[in-house]
Amino acid sequence: MAKYTKEDILRLVSEEDIQFIRMQFTDIFGQLKNVAITASQIRRALDNEIMLDGSSIAGFVRIEESDQYLWPDPDTFAILPWRPQYGKVARLICDVHNPDGTPFVGDPRGALQRVLRRAEAMGYTFNAGPELEFFLFQTDEDGRPTTRTSDEAGYFDLGPLDHGESTRREVTLALEEMGFEVEASHHEVAAGQHEIDFKYADALHAADNIMTFKLAIKTLAQKNGLHATFMPKPVSGTAGSGMHINMSLFREGKNAFFDPAAPHQLSPLAHQFIAGLLAHAQGFCALSNPLVNSYKRLVSGYEAPCYLSWSHSNRSALIRVPSPRGQATRLELRSPDPSCNPYLALAACLAAGLDGIERRLTPPAEITENLYALSDAERERRGIDRLPASLEEAIRTMEADAVVTEALGPHICEQYITGKLREWAEYRDRVSQWELDRYLVTY
Ligand code: GLU
Ligand code: MG
């Protein structure tokens, strides 16, 4: 059921003394965009009359056909708690449409909705609960980010070692004011690394929540003189930041991954979904792990996955089935990192899982050993394949995965692949400090 009607929003804007409304959407590379309108324009905004120049947005349209319209989703209305409390600022998350009213094929939020409709036609609602990890770093005298942290804390440590505690507290309170149900927040393994987990939602609103969460953390860290980053591996030799996604399918209000009579109480449907994710994890890796830097996280030894595998409680596996059952039964996909475009990553994951269901795939046997400790020969003997080792390999694998490319549609695929190949070419051109340290004197 819808949370807000147009009339509710008009009333809230005047009652709450809201002066500005940020109309938000996301480009295909996962950057949050917005145009601020004044309260006097709210009726036009709710009538889908706010325009944007799509030719200025990465991956959208060419200059000859650049008019596009923002159609706000009324349920996403929220007041931004970190903005002034007189003359308040609210936001609405929008879908992007063409002048003729049809949805724009290059809108990532639209792409996710297309796959969600497919799931709906099969009788399923797709829920997602993300776990975002991030670093809080100090800034220098000019306010520029560094990779220094004044914090020596580790997993679940408590102050006074943990200097990010007050930022985590402010973020948690701000998110709760915006209607999030924050379930846990804690210090993570690396110095300066944190995690905040919020309650799952239907995948569309989970993706909206991820975008909001990142904005809240970045804004509130800056207010505290810190720099928050969702870069997957900012410091080598220590843990990187993941964004594990907990996933479940519901049917008629019931968790369809739960089956009290099945082994481990995990339904055949859950097994098919696992098999689908495993079949396409390489194909959607360029989406779940979109940066050159993402592949520096997906290495052995830091609780980030490298191999195609699943298990119940093995944190070296790609997919884990956490212990809760009943309505809380879920699969945790551990490869995604928080730099991904959550709309595209969730669209691809769902398409992968649905493919597993449609083709009634069976997953391989569960792997209970530490995968990092198995030799290459042993993994080969057991037929355990690996995730792509670089962004380039991931893009090539994505191009060849019809389930993933169909989920995104040709427009997004083409734009995404072109942009990412450019990023890869730029990286290849550069000589790194590691190369100088290793080769300059020796050769
Ligand atoms: N930081 C780890 C990663 O890169 C995950 C740690 C955890 O299990 O929470 O995925
Ligand atoms: Mg974690």
Side-chain angles (χ1 to χ4, degrees):
M1 214 183 68
K3 214 163 87 186
Y4 294 122
T5 62
K6 276 189 196 179
E7 296 311 314
D8 291 335
I9 293 176
L10 291 171
R11 185 175 42 76
L12 281 166
V13 166
S14 97
E15 273 177 19
E16 295 276 345
D17 179 33
I18 291 168
Q19 294 297 327
F20 297 97
I21 299 99
R22 289 174 180 244
M23 306 284 283
Q24 297 180 346
F25 59 99
T26 299
D27 75 12
I28 73 167
F29 301 108
Q31 292 302 315
L32 187 63
K33 301 279 171 185
N34 82 105
V35 52
I37 57 161
T38 53
S40 64
Q41 302 301 305
I42 185 65
R43 195 176 283 277
R44 280 186 58 228
L46 293 168
D47 287 338
N48 307 329
E49 287 175 21
I50 303 297
M51 269 171 64
L52 78 137
D53 166 10
S55 70
S56 302
I57 305 293
F60 272 27
V61 281
R62 291 189 303 270
I63 197 150
E64 315 88 273
E65 48 191 33
S66 50
D67 282 353
Q68 293 184 303
Y69 287 82
L70 294 173
W71 288 32
D73 174 346
D75 283 349
T76 63
F77 179 84
I79 295 172
L80 300 180
W82 53 84
R83 301 294 298 154
Q85 290 311 295
Y86 55 89
K88 291 180 191 166
V89 180
R91 71 94 204 266
L92 280 163
I93 297 178
C94 307
D95 294 320
V96 182
H97 283 247
N98 300 312
D100 66 3
T102 53
F104 168 51
V105 288
D107 176 17
R109 199 171 189 264
L112 175 56
Q113 289 173 83
R114 285 197 298 274
V115 190
L116 287 171
R117 276 196 294 274
R118 261 182 58 206
E120 226 169 79
M122 293 164 74
Y124 302 118
T125 311
F126 181 44
N127 289 325
E131 302 170 20
L132 283 105
E133 296 175 336
F134 56 95
F135 280 80
L136 292 176
F137 287 126
Q138 291 179 344
T139 48
D140 66 14
E141 320 59 74
D142 301 320
R144 279 190 303 255
T146 69
T147 51
R148 283 197 311 274
T149 143
S150 55
D151 144 6
E152 298 304 320
Y155 190 62
F156 271 38
D157 273 346
L158 190 67
L161 292 175
D162 174 358
H163 296 290
E165 204 180 358
S166 57
T167 302
R168 275 207 319 269
R169 179 190 137 83
E170 274 182 44
V171 171
T172 303
L173 294 175
L175 292 175
E176 287 194 330
E177 248 179 83
M178 293 180 80
F180 278 70
E181 194 176 317
V182 176
E183 292 186 331
S185 79
H186 62 85
H187 200 286
E188 253 298 343
V189 171
Q193 193 185 29
H194 303 267
E195 175 172 327
I196 300 179
D197 304 328
F198 48 88
K199 192 177 182 321
Y200 74 88
D202 65 279
L204 183 64
H205 292 108
D208 290 342
N209 288 344
I210 291 170
M211 296 308 296
T212 304
F213 178 89
K214 292 204 266 190
L215 177 66
I217 301 267
K218 285 205 171 259
T219 309
L220 293 165
Q222 198 180 48
K223 282 201 164 162
N224 283 290
L226 296 168
H227 176 75
T229 185
F230 294 92
M231 179 180 177
K233 187 87 172 187
V235 182
S236 50
T238 188
S241 293
M243 186 183 79
H244 306 162
I245 309 179
N246 293 276
M247 308 178 187
S248 58
L249 287 180
F250 273 55
R251 191 184 187 112
E252 288 160 7
K254 288 218 176 74
N255 190 319
F257 286 172
F258 177 59
D259 178 352
H264 296 289
Q265 302 189 316
L266 206 57
S267 68
L269 190 87
H271 283 99
Q272 291 166 0
F273 202 93
I274 291 175
L277 285 174
L278 288 174
H280 300 288
Q282 295 164 314
F284 64 65
C285 206
L287 298 164
S288 54
N289 306 78
L291 308 184
V292 168
N293 182 256
S294 296
Y295 296 83
K296 307 208 164 160
R297 166 178 165 257
L298 299 178
V299 296
S300 261
Y302 299 101
E303 294 187 311
C306 319
Y307 306 105
L308 303 184
S309 52
W310 76 282
S311 176
H312 283 89
S313 64
N314 180 359
R315 282 187 163 72
S316 65
L318 172 67
I319 300 166
R320 209 167 66 83
V321 188
S323 49
R325 288 293 183 271
Q327 290 295 79
T329 310
R330 58 189 186 259
L331 312 174
E332 175 191 298
L333 178 70
R334 294 176 63 81
S335 52
D337 72 53
S339 67
C340 73
N341 178 329
Y343 300 99
L344 299 184
L346 282 166
C349 289
L350 176 57
L354 294 181
D355 183 52
I357 295 171
E358 277 162 351
R359 293 198 288 141
R360 297 179 187 282
L361 298 180
T362 314
E366 167 189 9
I367 305 278
T368 50
E369 300 104 300
N370 178 357
L371 281 140
Y372 305 137
L374 297 184
S375 67
D376 290 349
E378 179 59 15
R379 274 193 304 269
E380 200 164 317
R381 194 185 63 75
R382 299 214 214 164
I384 304 172
D385 208 349
R386 60 169 179 79
L387 287 173
S390 69
L391 180 59
E392 188 195 29
E393 190 186 330
I395 298 163
R396 298 300 175 206
T397 322
M398 173 176 148
E399 276 177 315
D401 188 321
V403 167
V404 172
T405 54
E406 269 166 34
L408 304 188
H411 179 100
I412 293 182
C413 259
E414 203 184 298
Q415 295 291 331
Y416 194 85
I417 290 170
T418 309
K420 287 292 160 187
L421 284 176
R422 212 177 295 133
E423 191 173 327
W424 177 255
E426 210 181 290
Y427 170 66
R428 276 203 49 189
D429 258 10
R430 296 288 194 279
V431 176
S432 69
Q433 191 58 46
W434 180 89
E435 289 163 277
L436 292 173
D437 294 345
R438 184 82 189 241
Y439 305 132
L440 191 63
V441 174
T442 318
Y443 293 91

